[in-house]
Amino acid sequence: MWAPVRESMFLGRGALKNFARFKSLTLQTINKQVLEAEYAVRGRLPTRAAAIQQEISQGMSKYPFKELVYCNIGNPQQVGQEPLTFNREVLALLTAPHLLSNSEKLVEQGLLSAEAVARANEYLEKSAKVGAYTDSVGFEFIREEVCDFIFSRDGFRPDAKNVFLTNGASEGARLVMSALAAKHLGTIGFMAPIPQYPLYSALSTLMDSELVGYYLDEDKNWAVSLPALNAAYDDAVKRGIVVRSLVVINPGNPSGNNLTADTLRDVVRFAKEKNLVLIADEVYQENILTKHPFKSMSSIMHELNLDLEIVSLHSLSKGFLGECGVRGGYCIFENFDPEIMQQFVKLKSIELCSNTVGQLSVGLMVRPPVADAATLYEKEKNEVLGSLRQKAEILRETLSALEGISLSEIGGAMYAFPQVKLPQAAIKAAEEQGVAPDEFYCMQALETTGLVVVPGSGFRQVEGTFHFRTTFLPTLEKMQRAMKSFADFHNDFMKRYS
Amino acid sequence: MWAPVRESMFLGRGALKNFARFKSLTLQTINKQVLEAEYAVRGRLPTRAAAIQQEISQGMSKYPFKELVYCNIGNPQQVGQEPLTFNREVLALLTAPHLLSNSEKLVEQGLLSAEAVARANEYLEKSAKVGAYTDSVGFEFIREEVCDFIFSRDGFRPDAKNVFLTNGASEGARLVMSALAAKHLGTIGFMAPIPQYPLYSALSTLMDSELVGYYLDEDKNWAVSLPALNAAYDDAVKRGIVVRSLVVINPGNPSGNNLTADTLRDVVRFAKEKNLVLIADEVYQENILTKHPFKSMSSIMHELNLDLEIVSLHSLSKGFLGECGVRGGYCIFENFDPEIMQQFVKLKSIELCSNTVGQLSVGLMVRPPVADAATLYEKEKNEVLGSLRQKAEILRETLSALEGISLSEIGGAMYAFPQVKLPQAAIKAAEEQGVAPDEFYCMQALETTGLVVVPGSGFRQVEGTFHFRTTFLPTLEKMQRAMKSFADFHNDFMKRYS
């Protein structure tokens, strides 16, 4: 296919007609890494769901349900969660500062809190212009607020020059991984959990590197285990891979685990011992469902007095804010060579600064209101977190009661990753259709109940086991209904294929 | 340096102390493409300017000026331009929809226009949630508005499925270039103008590809010329480079040109003849200072009835909006293979959707108000554009009167790119200091007048010629003062080194 295209390059204008059918960019001439990259969270299931949604909207649905229940993406506000009033008030004022000229009246009318007005004024005095590029790494005063937040959370204070404000957490991961993907050293390996959030496999492929998966221990609520880390590492080294980095997602996506301090000590020591850059994906740190609290990997590193090169990622998109659409987050670099920090600054400069509304939202995330807006803020926050807890419980109750499904503790994040022990007949039926058995199961669940979940194969899993990832984000009422019809579906499915 | 680091990987924990001084990520072990990428717009000059700014702020300035005048970045709102009221009102309402519950009162009080309220309500009815991920390629209703805009501008209507909403225009360029950087075909070349916006050279380097520069014709107001395109292309092919794409920036950055329809016909025919993907960077399409209007490359392609694979980029950051901080833009793909479009959708999915405020701002950009908000909108728009015209004129008058400076027509965009005929003694003095002669000149201009501009070497230029890029964005008063002291500086500099 490529040959004639190249040929046409050397032909005169007269030849154009003959070659017009050859596109310049084809599946043969595209960057192979781009072609090979996978991103399963937005795969066949959601495509099918979109088609069903359209049929429902047009009143042409032939399915035994009236609406879809989207448990496939951690996108809380899409499925009913409301934003926090204080944060949005400050953002609205910063977006349209002329409203501040009459803010007293608006406060009197109960349209705005006085504290939102005060915070907006404070940020404006610090030159928080929404419409101008900021420093590529973000507003300095917000980066200082992030440092204050870390200090109050972990008891040590990073240097603001090592804090970058990013468009969500993904950008931070991409920044670091692209710096590590040094091909002159050989084939680069990035260690990441199995199951993993597919961002990491996609980025590895795009960077022509290898994802070195380490298995989480399903029997121990998806914990990271030292033997699994060592096994994955040793195997990769044996295969000649230069392992450079370890990704740990805590709380876990899709596994929903919340790692204990002991486990995190193992993680940090292992990364130091192997001289790996630790990518600490901690975007679910506010979503905790276990008795033990969230511990940051960075605090563990300080406790162990190790000078590990660590990047901690956080985001607006999760927690109780769920501000996915705003696209904001931060990454904190610790113990990196100052010359390398300059390289990161340069890389971020090429991308230009992250969006200012996202940057300002990071400030609001790490510094909640403390005056007249605090009561409502706490109420809204507790409602979100309380409701998540309640819905996780409904999910747990339903799934763990079902024969053929085993479910680990839901320790945090917004997900459960139940295992389905698919009958041989179902596996065979799937194979006959040429689809993965877990996709076969999830597709039937979708078409029978309207529940949209993601097959485990999109996240990788131990071969021969089958899972799916589900959020517990839709409203309580929808979750209750969905779980009821899902239980019926599952029992029926198991009967049919047993 | 790398050897001991690898060794440490195989040592037990006891060895850690000895190796703690070796970082995992160093200048030796970083991705070479990252190390080699350059991004001059944020180079030594702005670093020096930041230091001077700090001295001024602390009252310790020893310089003969009271303030810096930033003409180094196209960042209008940083240097005094105000955002458009209508757009910001709609955005504020979409950010804090609870304000809409009392919107009648706010309209009565003159705080909001009725049209802003109507538009916000309209977008909300179309499910414009600020806080949720949208489709990865953006809100569909905004993409339809972009199509309407193109139809009214160019007379043909793209398909909304080929429109992606992006975080500014850079993201669109990165998307396409990463797909084209197919190393299995050989060393990939991206044609881009010299002088060029350094995004393109940086992206080429990051993608391990080569920037194939074609010289703009300075004597013809920086026009693109067919001989220059052919010369660059032929030379690259001779060197074994697989040239895949042509970047044309119109109006030009940093050259400030506005290409004629005839020139654009040459460009489009050339790209088709060589089977190149045309990247049409048209972010300055509203910034026109010549008598002939802006013409989109896509409209030229339709006029010539050619089925070129073209990507058109646009952004909120320039024009009369100048919403750099919001980070919004779009790219429109035409004539791409549907299978390739799927690949672009996948790539965009990995990055997740662009920020929603930026997406909604694109809607506001392409669909201005027509009812009660229209008068103020037109007034604000004309003020911005009128002021830019006036300041471009001041710049032109000052610079073209100076001996040793030659200045092409300022045809569009926000920049001029004057040539300075540096005396031999100045070049020698610069060489002795180990800096580029144009940087030497710009640094002295900064330290003498407070004017911050960017040396031409950051954009590439014909060897042995020296330029600088300056915006004309600061307020009229500042521009007048800056130009006066700059003229004195220049004359003095030329005298000193002649």
Side-chain angles (χ1 to χ4, degrees):
Chain A
M1 232 354 213
W2 177 237
V5 179
R6 292 203 62 171
E7 220 171 294
S8 81
M9 289 180 170
F10 302 96
L11 293 170
R13 208 176 297 169
L16 274 184
K17 265 204 182 124
N18 296 330
F19 288 96
R21 67 182 184 281
F22 295 110
K23 296 285 181 193
S24 175
L25 188 54
T26 65
L27 293 186
Q28 285 71 42
T29 67
I30 196 171
N31 180 342
K32 286 200 168 169
Q33 275 71 54
V34 168
L35 191 63
E36 284 162 15
E38 284 178 8
Y39 197 64
V41 181
R42 326 258 154 141
R44 280 161 47 119
L45 255 291
T47 308
R48 186 81 193 87
I52 295 176
Q53 181 60 60
Q54 202 167 12
E55 288 175 44
I56 294 176
S57 308
Q58 293 165 347
M60 294 163 54
S61 165
K62 53 182 191 295
Y63 300 96
F65 47 85
K66 282 193 189 125
E67 58 171 9
L68 295 176
V69 179
Y70 289 96
C71 286
N72 55 324
I73 304 181
N75 191 9
Q77 294 193 31
Q78 189 61 39
V79 289
Q81 186 174 312
E82 291 293 328
L84 271 73
T85 306
F86 172 76
N87 298 31
R88 292 301 191 87
E89 285 180 359
V90 178
L91 294 176
L93 290 169
L94 292 169
T95 304
H98 68 284
L99 295 177
L100 280 166
S101 63
N102 260 21
S103 60
E104 272 174 45
K105 226 182 255 176
L106 297 173
V107 172
E108 267 169 44
Q109 292 168 359
L111 277 175
L112 295 173
S113 66
E115 191 172 6
V117 172
R119 181 72 72 91
N121 276 319
E122 181 198 325
Y123 280 3
L124 282 172
E125 273 160 33
K126 290 172 174 165
S127 304
K129 279 175 199 273
V130 161
Y133 293 125
T134 67
D135 279 349
S136 297
V137 297
F139 286 120
E140 193 175 348
F141 69 94
I142 300 280
R143 291 185 284 127
E144 291 289 354
E145 290 189 345
V146 170
C147 295
D148 294 342
F149 163 71
I150 300 295
F151 181 74
S152 69
R153 189 191 69 186
D154 290 349
F156 67 91
R157 196 177 191 286
D159 188 330
K161 73 172 189 287
N162 296 325
V163 178
F164 289 11
L165 303 181
T166 49
N167 284 309
S170 312
E171 195 188 359
R174 186 157 50 83
L175 208 67
V176 177
M177 288 173 71
S178 70
L180 286 166
K183 280 201 227 143
H184 68 287
L185 302 177
T187 301
I188 300 301
F190 296 103
M191 294 184 76
I194 296 179
Q196 54 107 31
Y197 174 47
L199 172 73
Y200 295 104
S201 48
L203 288 177
S204 295
T205 307
L206 286 177
M207 288 161 191
D208 205 6
S209 300
E210 189 155 328
L211 193 86
V212 175
Y214 61 91
Y215 288 101
L216 300 179
D217 191 342
E218 187 167 8
D219 294 335
K220 291 186 178 153
N221 296 327
W222 298 112
V224 177
S225 82
L226 212 42
L229 288 175
N230 275 308
Y233 180 88
D234 292 344
D235 176 67
V237 169
K238 227 177 272 165
R239 288 184 293 125
I241 290 169
V242 182
V243 182
R244 299 210 67 191
S245 179
L246 171 64
V247 176
V248 176
I249 312 174
N250 182 48
N253 176 5
S255 60
N257 58 17
N258 172 23
L259 301 174
T260 62
D262 271 345
T263 301
L264 292 171
R265 278 182 205 111
D266 285 346
V267 162
V268 167
R269 282 197 202 101
F270 174 83
K272 182 65 201 171
E273 187 178 311
K274 305 299 190 192
N275 205 25
L276 304 177
V277 170
L278 181 59
I279 299 178
D281 179 338
E282 300 174 331
V283 301
Y284 298 98
Q285 59 190 267
E286 297 285 354
N287 301 106
I288 300 300
L289 294 160
T290 55
K291 275 182 197 145
H292 66 277
F294 164 78
K295 278 292 261 179
S296 77
M297 287 174 243
S298 167
S299 71
I300 297 280
M301 176 192 75
H302 285 273
E303 173 203 309
L304 296 177
N305 203 17
L306 290 172
D307 61 345
L308 187 64
E309 287 150 270
I310 184 172
V311 198
S312 315
L313 308 177
H314 198 12
S315 162
L316 301 173
S317 303
K318 313 301 170 185
F320 51 90
L321 295 181
E323 292 282 21
C324 301
V326 173
R327 311 302 302 120
Y330 67 71
C331 57
I332 305 179
F333 299 88
E334 287 186 86
N335 296 318
F336 282 83
D337 190 320
E339 288 178 317
I340 293 297
M341 287 310 301
Q342 281 179 26
Q343 296 295 318
F344 286 135
V345 170
K346 180 182 71 182
L347 270 186
K348 185 72 185 92
S349 301
I350 294 170
E351 311 237 318
L352 303 171
C353 69
S354 321
N355 83 84
T356 48
V357 175
Q359 292 189 36
L360 295 162
S361 298
V362 169
L364 299 169
M365 171 174 75
V366 298
R367 191 184 146 208
V370 292
D372 70 303
T375 312
L376 179 61
Y377 185 94
E378 284 303 311
K379 182 173 165 279
E380 291 174 339
K381 167 182 165 174
N382 291 333
E383 270 172 17
V384 170
L385 292 177
S387 159
L388 279 175
R389 231 169 274 128
Q390 208 178 349
K391 292 180 288 189
E393 189 51 27
I394 289 167
L395 194 71
R396 195 196 59 75
E397 271 179 16
T398 308
L399 296 181
S400 52
L402 294 175
E403 208 163 320
I405 285 195
S406 69
L407 181 67
S408 297
E409 178 190 61
I410 306 175
M414 303 173 164
Y415 312 105
F417 198 62
Q419 182 171 161
V420 190
K421 286 171 187 70
L422 291 177
Q424 276 309 316
I427 295 173
K428 208 174 151 226
E431 276 164 6
E432 275 164 15
Q433 285 187 23
V435 298
D438 48 10
E439 186 174 321
F440 177 80
Y441 173 86
C442 294
M443 192 66 91
Q444 291 207 19
L446 166 64
E447 291 173 347
T448 316
T449 71
L451 181 71
V452 195
V453 297
V454 188
S457 43
F459 305 95
R460 309 198 182 184
Q461 54 197 347
V462 173
E463 223 187 292
T465 69
F466 304 104
H467 300 76
F468 62 90
R469 186 189 77 170
T470 177
T471 71
F472 36 88
L473 292 168
T475 58
L476 184 61
E477 195 205 341
K478 281 197 189 178
M479 280 303 293
Q480 281 167 326
R481 242 184 303 135
M483 282 301 101
K484 209 178 157 312
S485 55
F486 177 78
D488 293 343
F489 153 76
H490 174 81
N491 290 331
D492 182 61
F493 181 97
M494 297 301 274
K495 218 175 286 167
R496 200 160 5 117
Y497 290 102
S498 67
Chain B
M1 237 345 218
W2 178 238
V5 179
R6 292 201 63 170
E7 220 170 293
S8 80
M9 289 179 168
F10 303 97
L11 293 170
R13 208 176 297 168
L16 273 184
K17 262 203 184 127
N18 295 329
F19 289 96
R21 67 181 186 281
F22 296 110
K23 296 287 181 192
S24 175
L25 188 54
T26 66
L27 293 186
Q28 284 71 42
T29 66
I30 197 172
N31 180 341
K32 286 200 170 171
Q33 275 71 54
V34 168
L35 192 62
E36 283 162 15
E38 284 179 7
Y39 196 65
V41 180
R42 327 258 154 141
R44 280 160 48 116
L45 255 291
T47 308
R48 185 83 193 86
I52 294 176
Q53 181 60 58
Q54 201 166 15
E55 288 176 43
I56 292 175
S57 308
Q58 294 166 346
M60 293 163 56
S61 165
K62 52 182 193 290
Y63 299 97
F65 49 83
K66 284 192 189 126
E67 58 169 13
L68 294 176
V69 179
Y70 289 97
C71 286
N72 55 322
I73 304 181
N75 192 8
Q77 295 193 32
Q78 190 60 40
V79 290
Q81 186 175 312
E82 291 294 328
L84 271 73
T85 306
F86 172 76
N87 298 32
R88 292 300 191 89
E89 285 179 0
V90 178
L91 294 176
L93 289 169
L94 292 169
T95 304
H98 67 285
L99 295 177
L100 281 167
S101 63
N102 259 21
S103 60
E104 273 174 43
K105 225 182 255 176
L106 296 173
V107 172
E108 266 170 43
Q109 291 169 0
L111 277 176
L112 294 173
S113 65
E115 191 172 7
V117 172
R119 181 73 71 93
N121 276 318
E122 181 197 326
Y123 281 2
L124 281 173
E125 274 160 33
K126 291 172 175 165
S127 304
K129 279 177 199 275
V130 161
Y133 293 125
T134 66
D135 278 349
S136 297
V137 298
F139 286 120
E140 192 175 348
F141 68 94
I142 301 281
R143 292 185 284 126
E144 292 288 355
E145 291 190 345
V146 170
C147 295
D148 294 341
F149 163 70
I150 300 296
F151 181 74
S152 69
R153 189 192 70 187
D154 290 348
F156 67 92
R157 197 177 191 286
D159 188 329
K161 74 170 188 288
N162 296 325
V163 178
F164 288 13
L165 303 181
T166 49
N167 284 307
S170 311
E171 195 188 358
R174 186 157 52 82
L175 208 68
V176 178
M177 288 172 72
S178 69
L180 287 166
K183 281 202 229 141
H184 68 286
L185 303 177
T187 302
I188 300 300
F190 296 103
M191 295 185 75
I194 297 181
Q196 55 106 31
Y197 174 47
L199 172 73
Y200 296 104
S201 48
L203 288 178
S204 295
T205 307
L206 285 176
M207 289 160 190
D208 205 5
S209 300
E210 190 156 326
L211 193 85
V212 175
Y214 61 89
Y215 287 101
L216 300 180
D217 191 342
E218 187 167 7
D219 295 335
K220 290 185 179 154
N221 296 327
W222 298 111
V224 178
S225 83
L226 212 43
L229 288 175
N230 275 308
Y233 180 87
D234 292 344
D235 176 67
V237 169
K238 228 176 273 165
R239 289 185 291 125
I241 291 169
V242 182
V243 183
R244 300 207 67 189
S245 178
L246 171 64
V247 176
V248 175
I249 312 173
N250 182 47
N253 176 6
S255 60
N257 58 16
N258 172 22
L259 301 175
T260 62
D262 272 344
T263 300
L264 292 171
R265 279 181 204 110
D266 285 346
V267 162
V268 167
R269 282 198 201 100
F270 174 84
K272 181 66 202 171
E273 187 177 311
K274 306 299 190 191
N275 204 25
L276 305 176
V277 170
L278 181 57
I279 299 179
D281 179 339
E282 299 175 330
V283 301
Y284 296 99
Q285 59 189 266
E286 297 284 354
N287 301 106
I288 300 299
L289 295 160
T290 54
K291 276 181 196 145
H292 66 276
F294 163 79
K295 279 291 260 180
S296 78
M297 287 174 243
S298 166
S299 70
I300 297 279
M301 176 192 75
H302 286 273
E303 172 203 310
L304 295 177
N305 203 17
L306 289 173
D307 62 345
L308 188 63
E309 287 150 272
I310 184 173
V311 197
S312 315
L313 308 177
H314 197 13
S315 162
L316 301 172
S317 305
K318 313 300 172 187
F320 51 91
L321 295 181
E323 292 281 22
C324 301
V326 173
R327 312 301 302 119
Y330 67 72
C331 59
I332 305 178
F333 299 89
E334 287 185 85
N335 296 318
F336 281 82
D337 190 319
E339 287 178 317
I340 292 297
M341 287 309 302
Q342 281 179 26
Q343 295 295 318
F344 285 136
V345 170
K346 180 182 72 180
L347 270 185
K348 186 72 185 93
S349 300
I350 295 170
E351 312 237 317
L352 303 173
C353 70
S354 321
N355 82 84
T356 47
V357 175
Q359 292 190 36
L360 296 163
S361 298
V362 168
L364 299 170
M365 172 173 76
V366 299
R367 188 182 148 209
V370 293
D372 70 304
T375 312
L376 179 62
Y377 185 92
E378 284 302 312
K379 182 171 166 281
E380 291 174 339
K381 167 183 166 174
N382 291 332
E383 270 172 15
V384 170
L385 292 177
S387 159
L388 279 175
R389 232 169 272 127
Q390 209 177 348
K391 293 181 287 189
E393 188 51 28
I394 290 166
L395 193 73
R396 195 196 59 73
E397 271 178 16
T398 308
L399 295 180
S400 52
L402 294 175
E403 209 163 316
I405 285 193
S406 69
L407 181 68
S408 297
E409 178 190 60
I410 307 175
M414 304 173 163
Y415 311 105
F417 199 61
Q419 181 171 162
V420 189
K421 285 169 187 75
L422 291 178
Q424 274 308 316
I427 295 172
K428 211 176 146 222
E431 277 164 5
E432 277 164 13
Q433 286 188 22
V435 297
D438 49 10
E439 186 174 322
F440 178 81
Y441 173 87
C442 293
M443 192 65 91
Q444 289 208 20
L446 166 62
E447 291 174 348
T448 315
T449 71
L451 181 72
V452 195
V453 297
V454 188
S457 42
F459 305 95
R460 307 198 182 183
Q461 53 198 347
V462 172
E463 223 187 295
T465 69
F466 305 104
H467 301 75
F468 62 90
R469 185 188 79 170
T470 177
T471 72
F472 36 88
L473 291 168
T475 59
L476 184 61
E477 196 204 343
K478 281 197 191 181
M479 280 302 292
Q480 281 167 327
R481 244 185 301 136
M483 283 299 103
K484 210 176 156 313
S485 56
F486 178 77
D488 293 343
F489 153 75
H490 175 81
N491 290 331
D492 183 60
F493 181 96
M494 296 302 273
K495 218 176 285 167
R496 200 156 8 113
Y497 289 101
S498 69

